[in-house]
Amino acid sequence: MAELKTNVMRILDAHKIKYKSYNYESSGAISGVEVAEALGENPEQVFKTLVTVSKSKKNYVFMIPVEKELDLKKAAAAVNEKNVEMLKSKELLPTTGYVHGGCSPIGMKKSFPVTIDSSAKNFSTIIYSGGKIGYQVETSVEDLGKIARIQLADITE
């Protein structure tokens, strides 16, 4: 049986970007740290994708290591906003097309600016959601930048 390709993987294929895919569906992993453990990977290299909204109703995507917390003040400063807050769970699917736990910076309904924690520079590749719960993909930050508008900034507590 062929492994399921998520929309994220199809987009990476379409851009001829090399990636490694992971499936942890059977592991029961829920939190990002559990996902890193299920994959046997360094939690500092496994990134979660968080979606925020500003007072001006603009959405911003932030990617941070799974064991870290997003610093909302630093995040807002990185995108030149006074403040940002986490998007409410019920607004995630209509806004991005993704469900909580399966949100990827690639393939959202609209293209939002993506800020990746500067710690990503410590790795040749980072691992992040494949766009479906149970799936992760690994690419270089440079390759992710070929698909998404990205910047690096210090955005964790």
Side-chain angles (χ1 to χ4, degrees):
M1 190 175 116
E3 189 180 330
L4 176 87
K5 282 229 182 211
T6 65
N7 196 35
V8 169
M9 294 172 198
R10 285 190 285 274
I11 292 168
L12 288 167
D13 287 340
H15 285 82
K16 301 195 173 11
I17 290 172
K18 284 198 321 233
Y19 65 93
K20 183 174 174 186
S21 64
Y22 299 88
N23 178 328
Y24 62 92
E25 268 183 319
S26 59
S27 72
I30 296 170
S31 75
V33 173
E34 288 171 339
V35 169
E37 284 170 8
L39 301 178
E41 297 292 340
N42 179 347
E44 291 174 24
Q45 190 179 1
V46 180
F47 281 63
K48 57 187 170 185
T49 305
L50 304 171
V51 184
T52 63
V53 61
S54 67
K55 275 227 181 331
S56 60
K57 299 286 177 238
K58 285 195 181 125
N59 292 106
Y60 297 95
V61 176
F62 295 96
M63 294 176 69
I64 62 172
V66 292
E67 62 191 5
K68 298 270 203 279
E69 291 300 319
L70 182 65
D71 182 317
L72 292 171
K73 278 194 170 55
K74 289 180 183 176
V79 294
N80 298 318
E81 289 281 357
K82 280 198 177 73
N83 59 29
V84 294
E85 60 184 41
M86 295 303 296
L87 189 67
K88 290 181 179 48
S89 266
K90 69 177 195 291
E91 293 169 19
L92 193 61
L93 184 61
T95 304
T96 66
Y98 287 125
V99 298
H100 184 76
C103 195
S104 178
I106 299 171
M108 290 190 180
K109 281 184 173 177
K110 290 193 195 111
S111 176
F112 300 118
V114 178
T115 302
I116 304 170
D117 187 64
S118 51
S119 66
K121 288 191 292 233
N122 302 332
F123 303 98
S124 57
T125 58
I126 60 170
I127 301 165
Y128 51 91
S129 174
K132 188 173 196 286
I133 294 173
Y135 293 86
Q136 297 280 107
V137 293
E138 180 176 348
T139 67
S140 69
V141 171
E142 293 74 29
D143 280 346
L144 178 54
K146 293 174 185 173
I147 301 175
R149 298 191 316 258
I150 65 167
Q151 66 170 353
L152 293 175
D154 172 19
I155 52 172
T156 56
E157 287 178 359

